[in-house]
Amino acid sequence: MDRRMIFILGIAVCALLQNTNGQKVHTVGNELGWTIPPGGPIAYDTWASLQDFNVGDILLFNFTNGEQDVAQVTKEAFKTCNTTNPIWSSKNSPANFTLSAAGEYYFTSTIDRHCVQGQRLAIHVPGPEPSPSPEPSRGPVNYTVGDKLGWIVPPAGDFAYAAWAHWKTFLVGDTLVFYFVNGTQDVAVVTKEAYDNCDTNNTIAVHKNSPTYITLKTSGEHFYTSTYSHHCDLGQKLAINVTTTNLSPGGANTPGALGPSAFAPSVNSAPSKAMFGFTAFFLSIAMAFPIF
Ligand SMILES: *[C@@H]1O[C@H](CO)[C@@H](O)[C@H](O)[C@H]1NC(C)=O
Ligand SMILES: *[C@@H]1O[C@H](CO)[C@@H](O)[C@H](O)[C@H]1NC(C)=O
Ligand SMILES: *[C@@H]1O[C@H](CO)[C@@H](O)[C@H](O)[C@H]1NC(C)=O
Ligand SMILES: *[C@@H]1O[C@H](CO)[C@@H](O)[C@H](O)[C@H]1NC(C)=O
Ligand SMILES: *[C@@H]1O[C@H](CO)[C@@H](O)[C@H](O)[C@H]1NC(C)=O
Ligand SMILES: *[C@@H]1O[C@H](CO)[C@@H](O)[C@H](O)[C@H]1NC(C)=O
Ligand SMILES: *[C@@H]1O[C@H](CO)[C@@H](O)[C@H](O)[C@H]1NC(C)=O
């Protein structure tokens, strides 16, 4: 296992062990702290997707004074890594930031190039009261699996697709769209047993042409992986729950943490130059590590 997988596993375990009641202190990145993450921005996206933020919680940024700092910036500044005019900043670790209201928060480091190298965090703090009115019904949605990452052996291990699926509501009639490079990946529809054991000898269906559109026709659990050697073991696997109503386990259809889609204009986004740019970026990380 490489360092990033260990890191991702570590934060996932810690996140699962956290108490979900009362005001919480969220140590950003857990043991990694607040730094330039080894795997790029997906590290903090993944961390955020596994947190349960509430109004009143505290973000604790733990870093090395002088080498790092932390700044809250606007969404626009976050997207462009413009740290000229932060909303709030601190050069003293540990820096505590209280999430005093519901909404979106964006953080980065103002130190040269740290933002573009992935030291940035986008989070969503849901409102205190879930909407009492029924969710408005929605039409079918096309979900691009992995968003900009596409369908590959994810550099961060299988938490990448777990994080991607975490806050989404999949309804019967929605479509999963898998983007990949023909001849280097495929999409295998498998049973739970095959998924759990990474047994790709037994598939329900295999799709070899990108993009692959799979319309969700039945409710319940659905499992996907690749028949390519070791791709499943390395984390190219996706499990989702499909429902017929608009109620998700989170109680609301709001995105929680922004997750890997934080930079996406919408989940319905068609492949764009940005998508292929990011995919190339992740592929380059993946290729830099012999494990992939
Ligand atoms: C900050 O990180 C250092 C080094 O990992 C650790 O010793 C320390 O306990 C951390 N502090 C907090 C407040 O988490
Ligand atoms: C960064 O933001 C400041 C204002 O906050 C603006 O004046 C400046 O032009 C921006 N820089 C870039 C490169 O967009
Ligand atoms: C930050 O929060 C932690 C956890 O509540 C606390 O131990 C620490 O004293 C706080 N630090 C500051 C500077 O307020
Ligand atoms: C989903 O994608 C298909 C194929 O590109 C398209 O025909 C359809 O309109 C899309 N549906 C939505 C809801 O975007
Ligand atoms: C899959 O098939 C290969 C070749 O027939 C065999 O060596 C392997 O043990 C099979 N794997 C499983 C999990 O059944
Ligand atoms: C993959 O192959 C199919 C069938 O040959 C083709 O229609 C599709 O455009 C190819 N996709 C890519 C991304 O090259
Ligand atoms: C689907 O939901 C059931 C019941 O909440 C849960 O036990 C199961 O782990 C979920 N499966 C996936 C793939 O999320």
Side-chain angles (χ1 to χ4, degrees):
M1 289 216 288
D2 67 292
R3 283 168 60 206
R4 280 167 297 122
M5 282 180 80
I6 291 166
F7 163 63
I8 299 288
L9 284 170
I11 61 176
V13 169
C14 293
L16 291 173
L17 293 176
Q18 266 177 5
N19 189 340
T20 54
N21 297 319
Q23 185 197 52
K24 281 192 309 252
V25 176
H26 304 263
T27 302
V28 175
N30 294 358
E31 283 76 18
L32 183 73
W34 180 240
T35 185
I36 298 172
I42 195 167
Y44 291 116
D45 289 343
T46 306
W47 176 81
S49 73
L50 295 167
Q51 303 294 308
D52 180 19
F53 297 112
N54 287 296
V55 172
D57 287 357
I58 291 172
L59 294 181
L60 190 156
F61 292 88
N62 191 10
F63 54 88
T64 308
N65 287 347
E67 289 180 20
Q68 319 286 342
D69 66 7
V70 58
Q72 185 199 3
V73 296
T74 62
K75 182 176 187 174
E76 204 46 49
F78 181 82
K79 281 198 211 154
T80 56
C81 280
N82 181 346
T83 55
T84 311
N85 215 345
I87 301 165
W88 166 87
S89 67
S90 173
K91 295 191 183 304
N92 295 315
S93 173
N96 290 355
F97 183 94
T98 301
L99 301 169
S100 51
E104 292 177 355
Y105 293 82
Y106 302 90
F107 300 93
T108 183
S109 165
T110 69
I111 294 176
D112 193 35
R113 294 192 49 77
H114 284 202
C115 177
V116 289
Q117 291 179 77
Q119 188 174 10
R120 54 187 184 187
L121 170 69
I123 67 167
H124 176 84
V125 180
E129 293 299 323
S131 163
S133 58
E135 296 286 336
S137 62
R138 61 159 172 82
V141 169
N142 287 347
Y143 284 110
T144 297
V145 175
D147 292 323
K148 291 161 199 118
L149 189 62
W151 181 240
I152 62 170
V153 174
D158 56 1
F159 287 99
Y161 292 112
W164 175 81
H166 189 66
W167 290 99
K168 295 191 170 59
T169 303
F170 299 96
L171 298 186
V172 170
D174 290 347
T175 298
L176 298 180
V177 189
F178 294 82
Y179 287 101
F180 53 90
V181 178
N182 284 345
T184 67
Q185 318 286 341
D186 63 12
V187 181
V189 185
V190 296
T191 61
K192 183 176 189 342
E193 289 69 31
Y195 174 90
D196 288 341
N197 301 323
C198 279
D199 169 12
T200 51
N201 291 355
N202 294 307
T203 55
I204 298 165
V206 177
H207 303 276
K208 295 193 177 298
N209 294 327
S210 174
T212 290
Y213 291 86
I214 298 181
T215 299
L216 303 167
K217 297 207 170 78
T218 57
S219 59
E221 292 179 294
H222 294 244
F223 301 92
Y224 307 90
T225 184
S226 165
T227 66
Y228 280 78
S229 178
H230 297 305
H231 282 203
C232 180
D233 306 308
L234 291 171
Q236 191 174 14
K237 57 198 295 197
L238 170 68
I240 62 169
N241 258 326
V242 178
T243 55
T244 50
T245 61
N246 219 348
L247 291 173
S248 68
N253 203 19
T254 52
L258 298 180
S261 62
F263 311 104
S266 87
V267 291
N268 303 335
S269 60
S272 59
K273 278 183 190 158
M275 169 175 167
F276 289 115
F278 267 75
T279 305
F281 169 65
F282 281 111
L283 284 171
S284 69
I285 297 173
M287 287 186 299
F289 288 79
I291 186 171
F292 300 111

